[in-house]
Amino acid sequence: MILLDGKATSASLQAQIAAEVDFFLDKGWRRPHLTAILVGDDGASQTYVANKERSCKKVGFDSTVLRLPASTTEEELLNEVKRLNRDDSVDGFIIQLPLPKHIDEQKVIEAVSPSKDVDGFHPENVGRLCLGLDTFISATPYGIITLLEEYGIETRGKHCVVLGRSNIVGRPIANLLSAKARPGDCTVTICHSRTQNIEEYTRSADIIIAALGVPGFVKADMVKEGAVVIDVGITRVPAETEKGYRIMGDVDFDAVAPKCSYITPVPGGVGPMTIVSLMRNTLKAYKAKHNLA
Ligand code: GUN
């Protein structure tokens, strides 16, 4: 069993990005600039945004976090989005999800200029991904694809079972892995909360992508010997730690790992790859703006 080390892989990608930034600075250009909008005070969202900020620092990007109260109206948020669309000093921006219930998430996503949509959530960018066109690939699927690529894992002709059908992970990763590409060329099955006899699918999987958000869902008897298992889960479960919780993946790691050819740990697998992928998208937006891509 080989651990897919997202921490080490993302560190090496970060170093490559930092070197590119140095190259641009040497030419007298400004730094790439990512802005995150955080609405409300959800603990997990605050942590994610803080991690994104830290990663920006590491690669030499400017970063701004726009913290708005939970009482922010949809109109106020849409006005901020319009302002950032016009702000030439910002290459890309994200709106951390989930948003408070009174705000229509889809409406906000659709207000982002596709050229600054480094999350890749805008329908134009999602459509481009579905068609195999150049686009901002949303960060988690991008991170997963990169990890498979970096470890030289063969995907062609393999059966990949995706657990979860979210717009952020399940759907785009299913699309990418079924595409005529490398990594890609998989036969993909998407399973979800209404799938019957889910274990019948997972047992035939060469690759399992677990993105359900149900801690420990994937058990040893659901996994074929030699499978590749990618765990996207990052649920906070109460625990007697300093913070009062620990992060649990969707896979029962201790029981499943011995059966796998490759498996991602949680934390240290997909998480760091997601963040570095957002940095890559921001660099892509910066380069496109400066006609460098
Ligand atoms: N919430 C959970 N994942 C993400 C993500 O990739 N981007 C944003 N903006 N919000 C999220």
Side-chain angles (χ1 to χ4, degrees):
M1 182 272 291
I2 295 172
L3 267 188
L4 294 167
D5 189 341
K7 209 170 162 188
T9 309
S10 67
S12 116
L13 291 167
Q14 267 183 347
Q16 286 174 36
I17 297 170
E20 271 200 69
V21 172
D22 283 343
F23 173 81
F24 297 139
L25 294 180
D26 282 348
K27 288 189 175 300
W29 299 341
R30 68 163 174 79
R31 295 176 186 276
H33 182 188
L34 174 69
T35 291
I37 305 180
L38 178 58
V39 186
D41 41 23
D42 177 70
S45 290
Q46 285 179 350
T47 305
Y48 301 150
V49 168
N51 289 342
K52 290 168 188 176
E53 244 186 319
R54 193 174 325 126
S55 183
C56 278
K57 259 200 197 85
K58 276 203 184 131
V59 298
F61 292 179
D62 286 331
S63 73
T64 306
V65 179
L66 197 57
R67 290 186 172 78
L68 302 175
S71 59
T72 302
T73 65
E74 186 177 282
E75 193 189 354
E76 285 166 339
L77 181 55
L78 287 169
N79 282 335
E80 288 299 339
V81 168
K82 285 179 202 154
R83 187 181 61 72
L84 288 169
N85 284 341
R86 287 191 302 264
D87 186 341
D88 253 348
S89 74
V90 172
D91 298 296
F93 65 99
I94 63 152
I95 302 114
Q96 187 63 36
L97 303 178
L99 288 170
K101 296 268 178 289
H102 63 276
I103 299 177
D104 181 343
E105 246 169 44
Q106 195 56 31
K107 203 165 166 186
V108 176
I109 287 169
E110 290 185 28
V112 177
S113 163
S115 65
K116 292 193 176 186
D117 171 38
V118 287
D119 254 336
F121 292 169
H122 189 283
E124 182 175 317
N125 287 324
V126 176
R128 292 184 65 88
L129 181 131
C130 291
L131 294 170
L133 301 173
D134 185 44
T135 187
F136 295 114
I137 304 172
S138 46
T140 304
Y142 193 9
I144 294 169
I145 290 286
T146 307
L147 209 46
L148 293 171
E149 204 171 16
E150 291 288 324
Y151 277 83
I153 295 172
E154 182 59 79
T155 56
R156 181 189 249 170
K158 304 292 184 192
H159 182 207
C160 174
V161 171
V162 177
L163 304 177
R165 55 181 160 183
S166 71
N167 289 340
I168 295 183
V169 186
R171 288 186 186 283
I173 193 66
N175 235 300
L176 289 165
L177 285 174
S178 59
K180 199 176 179 66
R182 290 210 147 187
D185 278 337
C186 285
T187 304
V188 177
T189 305
I190 303 181
C191 297
H192 47 75
S193 54
R194 298 283 179 266
T195 301
Q196 295 180 4
N197 304 323
I198 207 164
E199 64 284 350
E200 285 179 16
Y201 297 97
T202 58
R203 274 190 211 123
S204 81
D206 303 302
I207 302 169
I208 296 176
I209 315 261
L212 288 163
V214 181
F217 180 86
V218 178
K219 307 272 188 245
D221 64 358
M222 295 168 69
V223 178
K224 180 168 84 175
E225 201 70 46
V228 176
V229 174
I230 309 285
D231 190 348
V232 185
I234 40 164
T235 310
R236 290 180 173 195
V237 294
E240 288 182 10
T241 61
E242 201 179 310
K243 291 177 177 163
Y245 66 85
R246 67 187 179 91
I247 303 294
M248 256 194 89
D250 285 357
V251 177
D252 180 0
F253 184 90
D254 291 343
V256 170
K259 295 184 84 172
C260 297
S261 55
Y262 297 88
I263 185 167
T264 56
V266 175
V270 174
M273 292 304 296
T274 296
I275 296 183
V276 81
S277 300
L278 179 63
M279 301 300 121
R280 292 175 93 183
N281 279 345
T282 304
L283 188 64
K284 183 182 173 76
Y286 171 89
K287 285 180 172 176
K289 192 171 194 185
H290 296 83
N291 292 318
L292 296 164

